[in-house]
């Protein structure tokens, strides 16, 4: 039998391999271990967020393909929590175990230009863009798309890294230098109403489930707050679900994928980005839903039926970035005084500005109340007293 097809289902007691070792792998590992699976993690680092809760932490470079094959041969299936794994790594793993989602999905989603080209060719709504291979391309594209526009590196970008908003023609050369004078994408700047996303899962048999549309607020290009559910019209909800369903089908995803959108002022949706794995905007599902995005990833990878995606209460998630450590250790006890707020910390050893160290999730009677509560808890964590009572 080829390693590509699952000997479904892979049952508890089996070992699942995770490429990558950050917080997404950690929460996947917690979900998998709760269901009696073993988890092996592979990355170049040691004492990682995933490694701290996994059964086995393998530390080796992603381009050590023999080490990757050895890793994959000791597990029943391989998934990933980090899409910037080289394509050769996923291919080497696939020689020894099923890789879910496949390396093909990873290959598309790890490169903005491939991703946008795939979406446009599939007839899906995507932010207008042009491929930029030279400064002359940038000048021409600036004229075609108009300014402001956003120049982004073609590959390996996340959380706004490697992007420059060009507001005037005089900034073109600065922007070109900023992206390293290498292959890039120029996108129209979208004066959106809000940013929303949808996390969905698909099985090998093509079953599709989703966690609804959530609203995301960013700060310095990094996700800051998620509100679930988003307050959107039924037509936006329907469109977002249909687009997500098409994306997962057309990519033949087996696993979890997040579609991030710009919700335009006329109610239309444009896809900003795909993440072929659980996503920061789906972290609330760990506390608020019958089945979390991490458990759905496990179920998809193992060929088990999906659990219910029902959300038990409105929720809001606030990220905790390394910046919070600038004034000393956050006030954990104060944040714990909010009975409807859950604290998640990722076990990262060093707090750096902009680094995602953990998050808070508040559950409340309404999304608005959940938002207020999670923001109040984060202020308490930062040592800012306030009069909010939970
Ligand atoms: P990205 O890393 O491409 O997802 O971008 C991070 C954030 O930058 C997005 O979530 C938006 O808040 C902002 N952004 C990126 N591209 C655009 C765009 N074309 N128009 C307006 N805002 C953008």
């Amino acid at each position: 039998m080829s390693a590509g097809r699952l000997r479904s289902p892979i049952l508890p007691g089996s070992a699942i391999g995770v490429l990558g070792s950050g917080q997404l792998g950690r929460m996947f590992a917690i979900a998998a271990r709760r269901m009696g699976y073993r988890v092996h993690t592979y990355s170049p680092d040691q004492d990682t967020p995933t490694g701290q809760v996994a059964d086995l932490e393998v530390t080796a470079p992603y381009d050590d393909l023999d080490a990757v094959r050895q890793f994959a041969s000791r597990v029943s299936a391989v998934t990933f929590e980090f899409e910037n794994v080289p394509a050769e790594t996923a291919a080497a793993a696939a020689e020894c175990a099923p890789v879910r989602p496949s390396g093909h999905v990873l290959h598309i989603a790890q490169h903005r230009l491939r991703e946008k080209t795939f979406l446009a060719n599939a007839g899906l709504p995507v932010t207008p863009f042009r491929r930029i291979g030279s400064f002359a391309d940038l000048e021409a594209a600036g004229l075609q798309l108009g300014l402001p526009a956003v120049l982004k590196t073609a590959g390996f970008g996340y959380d706004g890294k490697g992007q420059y908003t060009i507001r005037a023609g005089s900034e073109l050369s600065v922007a070109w230098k900023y992206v390293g004078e290498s292959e890039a994408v120029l996108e129209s700047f979208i004066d959106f109403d809000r940013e929303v996303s949808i996390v969905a899962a698909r099985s090998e048999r093509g079953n599709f489930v989703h966690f609804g549309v959530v609203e995301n607020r960013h700060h310095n290009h990094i996700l800051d707050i998620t509100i679930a559910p988003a307050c959107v019209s039924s037509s936006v909800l329907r469109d977002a679900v249909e687009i997500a369903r098409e994306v997962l089908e057309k990519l033949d995803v087996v696993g979890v994928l997040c579609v991030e959108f710009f919700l335009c002022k006329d109610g239309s949706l444009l896809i900003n980005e795909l993440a072929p794995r659980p996503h920061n905007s789906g972290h609330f599902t760990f506390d608020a839903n019958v089945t979390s995005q991490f458990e759905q990833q496990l179920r998809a990878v193992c060929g088990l039926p999906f659990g219910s995606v029902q959300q038990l209460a409105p929720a809001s998630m606030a990220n905790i970035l390394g910046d919070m450590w600038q004034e000393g250790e956050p006030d954990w006890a104060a944040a714990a005084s909010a009975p409807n707020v859950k604290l998640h910390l990722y076990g990262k050893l060093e707090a750096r500005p902009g680094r995602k160290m953990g998050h808070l999730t508040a559950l409340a009677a309404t999304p608005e109340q959940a938002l207020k509560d999670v923001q109040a808890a984060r202020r308490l964590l930062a040592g800012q007293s306030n009069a909010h009572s939970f």
Side-chain angles (χ1 to χ4, degrees):
M1 194 183 87
S2 119
R5 289 206 70 78
L6 290 172
R7 295 176 193 85
S8 287
I10 296 168
L11 297 174
S14 309
I16 308 299
V18 181
L19 295 173
S21 60
Q23 63 268 21
L24 302 175
R26 180 184 182 93
M27 290 182 267
F28 173 83
I30 291 170
R33 292 195 70 163
R34 192 171 65 175
M35 283 179 65
Y37 288 87
R38 294 182 175 276
V39 177
H40 297 188
T41 173
Y42 185 108
S43 82
D45 304 314
Q46 267 178 334
D47 196 12
T48 57
T50 312
Q52 289 166 11
V53 296
D55 293 85
L56 181 71
E57 178 177 56
V58 175
T59 303
Y62 288 121
D63 58 7
D64 183 346
L65 301 186
D66 285 335
V68 171
R69 286 187 195 96
Q70 198 188 6
F71 171 78
S73 63
R74 294 180 65 187
V75 296
S76 299
V78 172
T79 188
F80 48 85
E81 64 99 51
F82 169 68
E83 68 264 36
N84 292 335
V85 171
E88 305 77 51
T89 306
E95 291 170 25
C96 308
V99 176
R100 297 287 179 260
S102 71
H104 160 72
V105 178
L106 201 128
H107 181 69
I108 291 182
Q110 68 186 198
H111 190 269
R112 284 190 216 276
L113 190 59
R114 278 199 291 271
E115 182 177 292
K116 286 180 187 298
T117 306
F118 161 81
L119 292 168
N121 289 345
L124 290 160
V126 62
T127 312
F129 71 97
R130 293 286 183 280
R131 175 188 177 271
I132 307 298
S134 66
F135 186 64
D137 286 351
L138 180 57
E139 286 181 310
L143 287 176
Q144 285 167 359
L145 293 178
L147 298 180
V150 187
L151 187 65
K152 303 182 178 182
T153 50
F156 284 61
Y158 59 95
D159 286 343
K161 294 196 178 99
Q163 56 177 273
Y164 193 103
T165 304
I166 305 170
R167 299 193 180 271
S170 56
E171 290 172 21
L172 288 173
S173 59
V174 182
W176 180 234
K177 285 203 179 69
Y178 188 82
V179 297
E181 305 190 354
S182 56
E183 192 182 38
V185 181
L186 187 72
E187 274 179 33
S188 298
F189 181 88
I190 307 298
D191 182 23
F192 50 75
D193 174 38
R194 273 173 292 161
E195 292 187 75
V196 298
S197 63
I198 184 160
V199 173
R202 186 172 172 272
S203 71
E204 197 179 20
R205 294 201 172 94
N207 292 333
F208 171 89
V209 290
H210 66 86
F211 290 97
V213 176
V214 301
E215 177 181 340
N216 299 315
R217 297 185 184 170
H218 291 77
H219 183 65
N220 290 337
H221 298 282
I222 301 175
L223 182 65
D224 183 43
I225 296 270
T226 295
I227 304 161
C231 179
V232 291
S233 67
S234 54
S235 65
V236 168
L237 179 59
R238 192 192 54 228
D239 291 351
V241 171
E242 278 322 303
I243 293 169
R245 187 194 305 275
E246 266 193 77
V247 169
L248 274 85
E249 271 172 19
K250 290 197 163 137
L251 281 173
D252 196 17
V253 170
V254 178
V256 167
L257 183 140
C258 175
V259 186
E260 290 182 79
F261 296 99
F262 297 135
L263 174 55
C264 302
K265 291 183 171 149
D266 65 359
S268 62
L269 290 163
L270 290 173
I271 300 176
N272 172 37
E273 208 167 40
L274 307 180
R277 47 160 173 79
H279 188 256
N280 199 167
S281 66
H283 286 1
F284 72 93
T285 62
F286 219 172
D287 298 304
N289 292 61
V290 173
T291 313
S292 72
Q293 59 170 352
F294 306 101
E295 187 177 327
Q296 300 293 38
Q297 181 187 18
L298 175 76
R299 287 170 178 249
V301 167
C302 292
L304 292 176
F306 286 128
S308 163
V309 286
Q310 187 193 349
Q311 189 174 337
L312 300 170
S316 184
M317 187 273 335
N319 271 333
I320 303 170
L321 299 185
D323 310 56
M324 195 171 275
W325 275 251
Q326 269 168 355
E327 306 290 316
E329 190 70 14
D331 191 345
W332 306 119
S337 69
N340 60 331
V341 178
K342 308 294 284 187
L343 170 67
H344 296 254
L345 283 175
Y346 307 146
K348 294 186 183 177
L349 305 178
E350 197 195 338
R352 292 191 295 268
R355 191 174 197 206
K356 291 175 181 172
M357 303 298 290
H359 68 269
L360 297 164
T361 305
L363 304 183
T366 63
E368 296 75 25
Q369 189 61 46
L371 171 64
K372 280 190 191 136
D373 288 354
V374 85
Q375 287 175 315
R378 193 166 59 176
R379 282 196 296 273
L380 286 174
L381 196 53
Q384 299 161 8
S385 60
N386 63 48
H388 189 88
S389 60
F390 291 92

